[in-house]
Amino acid sequence: MSSIPGQNGRVLSGMRPTGQLHLGHYHGVLKNWIRLQHEYECYFFVADWHALTTHYEDPSIIAASVWEMVIDWLACGINPSNATLFIQSRVPEHAELHLLLSMMTPLGWLERVPSYKDQQDKLKEKDLATYGFLGYPLLQSADILMYKASQVPVGEDQVAHVELTREVARRFNHLYGREPGFEEKAEAAAKKMGKKNAKLYRELRRRYQEQGDHEAIETARALLEEQQNITLIDRERLFGYLEGGGKIILPEPHALLTPTSKMPGLDGQKMSKSYNNTISLREPPEAVEQKLRTMPTDPARVRRNDPGDPAKCPVWQLHEVYSDESVREGVQQGCRSAAIGCLDCKKHIIDAILEEQAPIHERAQEYMNNPDIVRNIINEGSEKARDVAKQTIDEVRQAMGLAYR
Ligand code: TRP
Ligand code: SF4
């Protein structure tokens, strides 16, 4: 298992196990993960330690949600042969990396992360003036850097965390990527690629450093990727030497901004557990029907033959997610002319959600009947993740001069 990501790069993302997943998670996050698993080497994990930062007083919801969440992922179409699935606490190296990074992370960097104050204000009922809560974006940095992820799919609210991760990586490489005789070692490593390649490498490096030629650095990186007979350490030296400084031990990730989910809840606000307006991913069909039937509509439609305006109705927002052009057309006309009743209108949505959920229910049921399959997927994924994590931690210990054993 190499700690160096593959060609297209590596994607890492996590989700907190703090309750049932709902349609907002599906349309906002999971569909995106399902797409990414075909394009990148993906690592998706259950962020149980992250959940503790806000649920330390009563962690029971975490234990109750972990396996259910994995079942939800699988039932939606996350495929364990395309993505590595694991639980954070099964890879204790995350804690070690978090600790080591904490030594060199200025306090101000964490205090300035916007979610720190925002969440404290939002979750007033919880005491979040804790060391763990302040440090949780750095734990997230450790999650990301551990796998040398190049892309991190996150929503708007988490972009600052990826930004922090980039700064932490830069600082780490700056502090620990320097080694005595770095330039000589890099030159010696270049020679090991053979005369022709070494010459090409030097030429590309010069073009980048003297003229800022980005094509040259890309070509040089590709050249290094191709090399079969240089060691991991030499390769990292050569990557680092391209840009100047020292070795790049922890590469900087990029945020892959997930378009904010437009998934509306039952009241027209964004679907969210805290608004109590959700339809869970595995909501029983009768409950889906019940929730839709009692959902508020345009208040102007008191009687069946009062005309309405879809723009004032939360049901219309669901049509924007679920209905095709012709259904929408019919709703617009029928609502404004009172030709259709609200229950007729809702029927389309009920059918669409039930149709979307049927295969999810079916696959989830299979996993519930065979819990060992789910355990095995996570066991294998956690082992695989741990192999990568151990490599990174070794490199980090080496770089920090902690390899005396
Ligand atoms: N903090 C993220 C959230 O609250 C979850 C998370 C933890 C995560 N570690 C991560 C997301 C690493 C992306 C990458 O939703
Ligand atoms: Fe809303 Fe549909 Fe009723 Fe119009 S007909 S008010 S869009 S539920």
Side-chain angles (χ1 to χ4, degrees):
M1 185 61 46
S2 165
S3 72
I4 304 276
Q7 277 274 296
N8 271 345
R10 197 178 272 167
V11 156
L12 173 118
S13 202
M15 209 185 269
R16 296 160 168 249
T18 51
Q20 284 186 328
L21 298 193
H22 52 65
L23 292 180
H25 295 110
Y26 179 59
H27 288 271
V29 182
L30 287 172
K31 275 163 76 177
N32 194 38
W33 285 13
I34 290 162
R35 192 169 49 76
L36 291 170
Q37 69 182 348
H38 301 296
E39 295 168 29
Y40 297 93
E41 182 189 346
C42 286
Y43 286 75
F44 298 130
F45 74 100
V46 179
D48 55 344
W49 281 340
H50 283 268
L52 268 182
T53 63
T54 46
H55 290 66
Y56 61 91
E57 284 191 55
D58 179 10
S60 58
I61 183 84
I62 300 175
S65 310
V66 167
W67 297 107
E68 291 301 305
M69 193 164 91
V70 176
I71 290 176
D72 282 336
W73 292 358
L74 295 168
C76 286
I78 302 285
N79 184 340
S81 40
N82 292 330
T84 303
L85 309 182
F86 66 99
I87 298 175
Q88 184 181 32
S89 62
R90 290 279 196 93
V91 186
E93 285 75 11
H94 286 237
E96 182 175 344
L97 186 55
H98 176 213
L99 175 99
L100 294 175
L101 295 176
S102 78
M103 303 300 170
M104 40 144 285
T105 303
L107 202 46
W109 289 10
L110 291 169
E111 287 165 340
R112 272 200 304 272
V113 173
S115 59
Y116 179 57
K117 287 258 175 317
D118 290 355
Q119 291 292 99
Q120 281 187 336
D121 290 345
K122 214 171 132 198
L123 303 174
K124 277 228 168 58
E125 73 284 4
K126 296 187 174 167
D127 179 4
L128 294 182
T130 59
Y131 179 50
F133 187 70
L134 176 67
Y136 106 84
L138 188 64
L139 179 58
Q140 184 165 354
S141 299
D143 301 335
I144 296 167
L145 296 174
M146 186 69 93
Y147 301 92
K148 304 190 176 181
S150 48
Q151 323 278 8
V152 183
V154 285
E156 198 86 63
D157 58 323
Q158 301 269 313
V159 172
H161 298 174
V162 180
E163 217 30 67
L164 169 77
T165 306
R166 292 168 60 83
E167 281 170 22
V168 169
R170 217 172 297 147
R171 183 160 165 85
F172 184 94
N173 295 327
H174 175 74
L175 288 171
Y176 308 114
R178 294 172 188 280
E179 50 180 351
F182 175 74
E183 309 228 325
E184 291 74 20
K185 283 179 183 163
E187 282 295 340
K191 287 209 184 85
K192 290 181 199 157
M193 295 193 290
K195 238 193 181 133
K196 207 172 114 235
N197 284 334
K199 189 170 165 223
L200 178 58
Y201 172 84
R202 285 194 202 98
E203 172 60 21
L204 292 166
R205 175 173 181 268
R206 194 187 56 73
R207 269 174 35 204
Y208 175 69
Q209 295 205 340
E210 289 176 12
Q211 298 148 31
D213 182 342
H214 283 274
E215 223 176 287
I217 195 169
E218 286 311 321
T219 314
R221 285 189 181 127
L223 175 73
L224 293 178
E225 293 284 358
E226 285 165 17
Q227 300 306 308
Q228 312 254 315
N229 37 16
I230 52 174
T231 62
L232 205 70
I233 299 266
D234 274 344
R235 195 192 302 267
E236 277 162 10
R237 279 191 188 109
L238 290 169
F239 271 115
Y241 191 48
L242 277 177
E243 286 165 67
K247 271 194 300 185
I248 295 186
I249 301 153
L250 301 175
E252 293 178 36
H254 301 276
L256 202 60
L257 190 63
T258 316
T260 20
S261 162
K262 284 187 218 71
M263 188 66 201
L266 292 164
D267 55 359
Q269 299 187 79
K270 180 185 148 98
M271 188 178 282
S272 159
K273 196 172 52 179
S274 47
Y275 300 142
N276 204 8
N277 63 357
T278 62
I279 296 175
S280 80
L281 206 51
R282 287 187 264 148
E283 191 93 41
E286 313 76 59
V288 170
E289 196 156 347
Q290 172 67 14
K291 283 186 171 180
L292 262 299
R293 280 171 165 276
T294 52
M295 193 176 157
T297 60
D298 177 358
R301 295 206 71 180
V302 183
R303 271 172 233 97
R304 165 67 180 77
N305 45 12
D306 292 332
D309 178 0
K312 296 183 179 140
C313 176
V315 178
W316 171 250
Q317 296 183 39
L318 288 172
H319 279 289
E320 294 193 306
V321 175
Y322 284 106
S323 300
D324 61 24
E325 208 36 60
S326 77
V327 171
R328 287 195 228 168
E329 185 72 11
V331 167
Q332 283 288 348
Q333 298 251 339
C335 178
R336 291 172 198 282
S337 62
I340 60 167
C342 290
L343 284 180
D344 306 322
C345 180
K346 289 173 169 179
K347 183 81 173 68
H348 294 287
I349 305 293
I350 295 172
D351 289 348
I353 294 180
L354 293 183
E355 192 182 316
E356 175 176 74
Q357 291 189 330
I360 296 178
H361 275 295
E362 199 178 309
R363 283 192 296 250
Q365 193 57 51
E366 272 177 47
Y367 289 112
M368 289 191 291
N369 296 344
N370 299 286
D372 284 351
I373 296 182
V374 184
R375 295 284 192 284
N376 283 338
I377 290 170
I378 289 295
N379 289 346
E380 273 177 34
S382 301
E383 254 175 61
K384 192 171 157 212
R386 202 163 180 202
D387 284 342
V388 179
K390 279 183 175 156
Q391 284 232 12
T392 304
I393 272 293
D394 264 354
E395 293 168 33
V396 165
R397 287 184 191 145
Q398 290 269 358
M400 292 181 77
L402 301 170
Y404 40 82
R405 316 207 123 211

